[in-house]
Each structure stands twice: as structure tokens, then as C-alpha cells.
Amino acid sequence: YFLGLCPMISSPMTPTIRFVVLTALRDRLFVSLLGLLAMVFCVSLYLGGGAVFEKNEMAISFAAGGSRAALMLGLTVFVAFHVERIYETREIEAILSRSISRASFIVSYWCGMVVVALLLALPVLLFVAGFTLSLNGAVWWSISLVLESCIILAFGLFTAVTIERAIPTIFTTVGFY
């Protein structure tokens, strides 16, 4: 419902953004990635506990790096298989039959992926901010995480639409990352 509040997103783009978010919910992307991130945080706390000095700093650096890599890989896999599925089921033809241009379709699809990335980055930010000493540093780190995910999503979407197959898309995007 917050999508209607943004004046930059036109009304033909809103259903596509909502479709992407609902697909992420249907595919249980949030549950699986949050579970993976919880495991990354547990392992980072364990590894940080092994340090002689600065245990908290070591744990937060392991958690930040591991969660960043896990989030980017999870988003890449989601984009690749989602785009492959809409090509295989011919949903892309139904979406493009609406009154939306191809450029608007790609931008709205990317915006939907960014909304998904923002929803997934929020728990990471809360965890990192909970263990860090500098809230300012955690905020800047989370801004860089969101911007990095926007770049990876744009490249992954470009690759997925171009190649139309999931595995080469994942390899290409991970290679770019």
C-alpha cells in the first residue's frame, strides 16, 4: 500500500512491483534467506568468540561480510529463477500485453526487486546495529548494502532477461559480483 504514496512510481508500474513482492512471498524467499542469515549470524558469533581480544568486533565483521555475501547470492538466485519461470510459463507475455512499455516493465520489475531487497536488508541492519558500537557506522554500512543490492539486482535482471536461463545468469552475476 505504500507504493501508491510514491509519486515517482506510476500506476501501470505498481501491479508489477506488487507481483514481484508476492512472488517472493510465494517462493518463501524471506523465510529461507532469513534462516540463512540467522545461521550466518550464529556462525559469526561463534567465530568471534574465539578471538582473544575484541570478540564483539570480530563477530560483527564476520556477520557483516557473511550476511552481505549471503544476501547478494540469495537475491541473485531469486532473480535468475524467477525470470526463467516467467519465460517458461509465458507470464511475461501476459504482463507485456498490458498498457506498459518494455522499459517501464524492466524498471518496475527492478523496483519490485529493490523492495524485496529492502525488506531483506532491514533485519540485517537491526542485527548489525544491535552489536556495533557506532550507530552511524551501521547506518552507512546498511546504505552501502542497499546500494550494492540495487546494482547486483540490476545486473542480474539484465542478465536474466538477456540469457533467459537461470544457471548461466547466476554464474554471470556471481562473476560480476
Side-chain angles (χ1 to χ4, degrees):
Y1 297 107
F2 64 90
L3 296 174
L5 300 175
C6 184
M8 293 178 58
I9 299 174
S10 63
S11 60
M13 293 173 69
T14 306
T16 307
I17 295 171
R18 192 172 296 133
F19 172 71
V20 172
V21 173
L22 288 174
T23 302
L25 284 171
R26 183 190 67 201
D27 290 347
R28 293 180 177 72
L29 175 72
F30 296 109
V31 174
S32 59
L33 265 180
L34 290 178
L36 178 64
L37 291 173
M39 288 190 320
V40 166
F41 292 139
C42 290
V43 168
S44 66
L45 288 175
Y46 175 74
L47 291 175
V52 177
F53 297 108
E54 300 177 344
K55 295 179 187 231
N56 193 24
E57 287 80 5
M58 288 292 288
I60 199 65
S61 67
F62 288 139
S67 64
R68 175 171 251 149
L71 186 64
M72 295 308 145
L73 183 63
L75 289 173
T76 300
V77 169
F78 172 68
V79 168
F81 281 104
H82 177 71
V83 172
E84 183 182 38
R85 186 182 326 121
I86 67 169
Y87 272 109
E88 286 178 356
T89 60
R90 306 269 185 210
E91 289 179 40
I92 195 163
E93 294 171 1
I95 292 170
L96 289 176
S97 68
R98 295 187 331 219
S99 63
I100 186 171
S101 67
R102 292 181 192 272
S104 295
F105 168 71
I106 294 295
V107 169
S108 63
Y109 230 73
W110 178 76
C111 288
M113 300 288 182
V114 168
V115 168
V116 168
L118 286 172
L119 292 174
L120 286 169
L122 186 62
V124 175
L125 165 67
L126 294 176
F127 182 82
V128 170
F131 280 96
T132 187
L133 300 175
S134 168
L135 186 61
N136 188 24
V139 168
W140 283 109
W141 180 84
S142 64
I143 289 171
S144 73
L145 177 71
V146 169
L147 292 176
E148 182 178 335
S149 65
C150 290
I151 293 169
I152 292 300
L153 286 171
F155 186 81
L157 186 62
F158 166 74
T159 308
V161 169
T162 304
I163 297 176
E164 298 179 14
R165 292 287 157 216
I167 301 300
T169 297
I170 293 170
F171 287 157
T172 305
T173 307
V174 168
F176 173 76
Y177 183 64

